[in-house]
Amino acid sequence: GCEVRVKRMQLQVLLLLVVASPSTAFTGGTGIVGFLGAKPTAQPSLRWGRCSKSQCMRMAAVDSTSVDQSARQLAKDAFMAAARAGPKNGVDATAAQRADIEDKLAHLCTLSPTFEPAYALLRPPYEFFDGTFSLLYTNTTGGSSGKVGPFVGDVSQTFLGIRDIDQMGFSRRGIFNNAAQFGPVRTSLQARCESRSGTKLNIVFEELSISVFGIQVQKKAFEKGGKGTQGSWDLKYMDSDLRVLRTNAGNVLALEKVEPYGGESWMQSQKRIGSQPYEGEREK
């Protein structure tokens, strides 16, 4: 009856509290396996090796005017169809499924339309960052796949706002959360990101929260500079509705844009209240 359901829910929350740790969330750090995080696969199978200086420069120069857009769309459709045909988030995909998905993904990433995506992500009006992106595929078998025990949750990233605007109106830091939803239980890690090159972002996790039926039951701020609270992303592909990143430990995640969590994105809320946040920050 009701008492059994309450006890089961308490067990779910306890499980998430035990495994939750920022040290591996979307960074692939070496701390305990935790919410949205895991040790990397022993041999990441996507073939993204090191390139020569001239090769990297040519790859970085790819933009929407230099690549046949129809070829890119075909590659994107092929990857997304293969990912959706496999198991949720790529969890427990067979070797054949994984090889097919990752071959298509590696090809798509050679056609990325966005020049210097790490800078573009933090450039107003945040068309590449704003809203919610849901995990479509990952090559890790750990927690960043949304798998906790026998369950596979809904994993997402949601843009929460900006901090520290420079004189040109660009945000130095974007604020977002990584979330995993298991029925009524939602676990979120708030983090900030800062570009360190045209393709790479530094990630710092700030706090963990857990809610049940939308009611927060746990919140914990992490110690500044604490072990396992920092990592990095390398953006391999980015357009307005698909983002592919590789963590500092080699885990690859592909996320597609979905309806914003809560029904309204951060930029939509700013427009609704008549705010231009980056203009206001710049005047301070």
Side-chain angles (χ1 to χ4, degrees), residues 6-273:
V6 170
K7 288 184 177 179
R8 187 175 299 164
M9 187 182 304
Q10 290 173 335
L11 180 61
Q12 287 179 311
V13 174
L14 179 61
L15 174 62
L16 288 170
L17 287 171
V18 169
V19 302
S21 168
S23 61
T24 55
F26 270 113
T27 68
T30 57
I32 62 171
V33 174
F35 153 69
L36 291 183
K39 295 181 180 180
T41 52
Q43 296 292 334
S45 55
L46 289 183
R47 298 188 297 276
W48 291 324
R50 302 179 70 176
C51 56
S52 69
K53 183 177 180 180
S54 60
Q55 287 174 325
C56 288
M57 289 177 68
R58 286 198 298 272
M59 291 172 66
V62 172
D63 61 23
S64 59
T65 63
S66 63
V67 172
D68 184 342
Q69 293 189 27
S70 63
R72 182 188 303 119
Q73 190 61 51
L74 285 172
K76 181 176 176 180
D77 291 345
F79 159 66
M80 297 183 76
R84 289 184 176 128
K88 182 175 181 178
N89 301 347
V91 173
D92 296 327
T94 66
Q97 286 175 317
R98 203 169 290 281
D100 180 50
I101 293 168
E102 294 181 3
D103 280 348
K104 289 178 170 62
L105 181 55
H107 174 59
L108 175 63
C109 288
T110 67
L111 305 176
S112 182
T114 307
F115 179 62
E116 296 186 333
Y119 295 141
L121 193 72
L122 297 175
R123 185 178 299 133
Y126 314 107
E127 61 178 306
F128 298 112
F129 210 169
D130 191 44
T132 297
F133 285 74
S134 177
L135 182 63
L136 177 62
Y137 176 79
T138 181
N139 67 343
T140 180
T141 57
S144 57
S145 65
K147 183 175 175 63
V148 176
F151 306 105
V152 180
D154 297 319
V155 179
S156 63
Q157 290 178 358
T158 299
F159 181 54
L160 300 179
I162 54 176
R163 289 187 197 153
D164 304 329
I165 308 303
D166 64 23
Q167 293 301 310
M168 296 181 66
F170 295 168
S171 169
R172 288 187 58 218
R173 297 181 177 91
I175 311 302
F176 65 97
N177 73 33
N178 293 327
Q181 187 91 29
F182 298 88
V185 181
R186 181 178 177 86
T187 308
S188 300
L189 274 174
Q190 180 175 303
R192 68 177 186 268
C193 63
E194 180 175 358
S195 55
R196 75 181 196 197
S197 74
T199 63
K200 294 185 178 181
L201 295 154
N202 289 330
I203 309 296
V204 178
F205 292 95
E206 298 180 334
E207 66 181 36
L208 164 73
S209 63
I210 298 175
S211 59
V212 180
F213 289 111
I215 300 173
Q216 190 175 95
V217 297
Q218 175 78 11
K219 184 176 181 179
K220 176 185 177 182
F222 302 127
E223 181 181 355
K224 186 176 180 180
K227 183 178 179 181
T229 61
Q230 301 181 42
S232 66
W233 292 348
D234 188 1
L235 293 171
K236 310 304 295 186
Y237 179 95
M238 189 173 79
D239 63 25
S240 60
D241 58 11
L242 182 66
R243 180 187 307 151
V244 180
L245 60 94
R246 181 171 61 180
T247 71
N248 50 288
N251 297 331
V252 174
L253 302 103
L255 304 105
E256 62 175 331
K257 195 164 191 176
V258 295
E259 289 298 311
Y261 179 72
E264 184 178 55
S265 75
W266 185 73
M267 283 299 291
Q268 287 172 341
S269 71
Q270 298 305 300
K271 291 177 181 178
R272 176 174 50 80
I273 64 177

